[in-house]
Amino acid sequence: MSTPLFSIITAAVAPGIALLVYFYLKDRYHAEPIHVVIRLFLIGFLIVLPIMIIQHGLVLSWGKQPFVFSFVISAFVEEGVKWFVLYHMIYNHVEFDEHYDGILYAVAISLGFATIENVLYAWLNQASFAYLLMRALLPVSGHALFGVLMGYYMGKSKFTLQKDKKKLLAFSFLVPLFWHGVYDIILMTMTKYWLWFVVPLMIFLWYFGMGKVRKANAGSPLRMVKHEEDPSRFRP
């Protein structure tokens, strides 16, 4: 029996929403306006179509040579469009007022993209629950972590000295592009033992990404304000 359409869509959408809630709650000092986060999540939905059109055109022109497909057609196009939208919509936004905000907003747009991509894969392939679980653990969380890295360096760029801004903005694009390309090339070139490479990569990316989350929160200008307001400081 085939899985009901509603169940497929629910299972495909749930990981993205769960991860977005997780990273939203990781903002320790000043929760961002939920409408701004949701708007970026929905914009992630909208960029799927132009990305697919660009990628289809590039595949027709260049083929699917593993390195070119992984680092240019897949990683460069996807991370490039996300970076472009994030920079032009949120970098100078009044609500982008602390380092961690960059991570949250980049994760929101990345998970919007990953969620619709997941729905399309699930629908077109009549996916089983096990398949959807695998996608939740790998590509969906992968996009979230690429968003963490993009947002970390974009946030660092916004709140640093003028001379370092351009370098950090470049990092906000190049670092997620590199790890996205590494992830894709493993899947394209490893046929039998790909899990032996992808699982350690994902564990590393979670460790690396969560370290960036802690650093971004630790650098919040609101940290000392919260500390001063905490009445427990005066308890014996």
Side-chain angles (χ1 to χ4, degrees):
M1 293 178 63
S2 60
T3 307
L5 180 60
F6 178 77
S7 298
I8 289 175
I9 294 175
T10 302
V13 169
I17 294 176
L19 283 167
L20 183 60
V21 171
Y22 173 77
F23 283 103
Y24 184 81
L25 296 175
K26 279 289 181 181
D27 192 344
R28 294 177 56 189
Y29 302 108
H30 176 59
E32 294 309 295
I34 191 67
H35 70 274
V36 180
V37 177
I38 292 174
R39 185 188 309 161
L40 284 168
F41 184 71
L42 295 177
I43 288 170
F45 289 12
L46 300 178
I47 65 175
V48 170
L49 183 58
I51 285 175
M52 288 176 64
I53 292 171
I54 294 168
Q55 289 177 328
H56 181 66
L58 292 176
V59 168
L60 291 177
S61 300
W62 297 344
K64 280 195 170 184
Q65 192 277 333
F67 184 86
V68 173
F69 183 85
S70 299
F71 285 92
V72 180
I73 297 175
S74 179
F76 182 88
V77 173
E78 292 177 16
E79 301 305 325
V81 172
K82 288 187 283 183
W83 186 95
F84 180 85
V85 172
L86 190 68
Y87 177 77
H88 287 281
M89 286 200 64
I90 210 70
Y91 188 74
N92 293 310
H93 197 287
V94 66
E95 295 295 348
F96 193 170
D97 55 7
E98 59 174 330
H99 191 173
Y100 184 79
D101 295 352
I103 291 178
L104 179 59
Y105 292 137
V107 166
I109 195 169
S110 296
L111 284 173
F113 172 84
T115 297
I116 290 299
E117 186 183 54
N118 209 32
V119 169
L120 291 174
Y121 270 105
W123 191 4
L124 295 174
N125 293 288
Q126 298 183 348
S128 65
F129 177 79
Y131 178 82
L132 292 174
L133 178 61
M134 183 69 73
R135 286 194 58 81
L137 294 173
L138 296 176
V140 177
S141 61
H143 277 291
L145 294 168
F146 304 146
V148 168
L149 299 177
M150 181 180 291
Y152 173 80
Y153 288 105
M154 192 168 283
K156 197 168 183 180
S157 167
K158 185 174 174 71
F159 300 105
T160 195
L161 298 175
Q162 187 65 37
K163 67 183 180 70
D164 292 327
K165 284 184 180 294
K166 289 184 178 179
K167 179 181 71 174
L168 291 166
L169 272 177
F171 283 176
S172 72
F173 174 56
L174 295 173
V175 173
L177 184 156
F178 172 77
W179 289 112
H180 190 156
V182 169
Y183 173 89
D184 281 353
I185 204 166
I186 289 173
L187 295 185
M188 287 202 73
T189 57
M190 304 289 175
T191 55
K192 192 174 181 181
Y193 299 107
W194 60 273
L195 270 176
W196 291 97
F197 295 89
V198 167
V199 171
L201 174 65
M202 293 303 297
I203 292 172
F204 167 76
L205 287 175
W206 269 106
Y207 177 80
F208 187 44
M210 296 314 294
K212 299 300 185 189
V213 166
R214 288 190 293 272
K215 283 185 179 180
N217 270 316
S220 171
L222 302 173
R223 182 168 61 95
M224 294 308 297
V225 174
K226 291 288 186 182
H227 178 71
E228 292 296 329
E229 293 175 350
D230 183 4
S232 67
R233 295 188 307 119
F234 304 104
R235 291 173 188 163

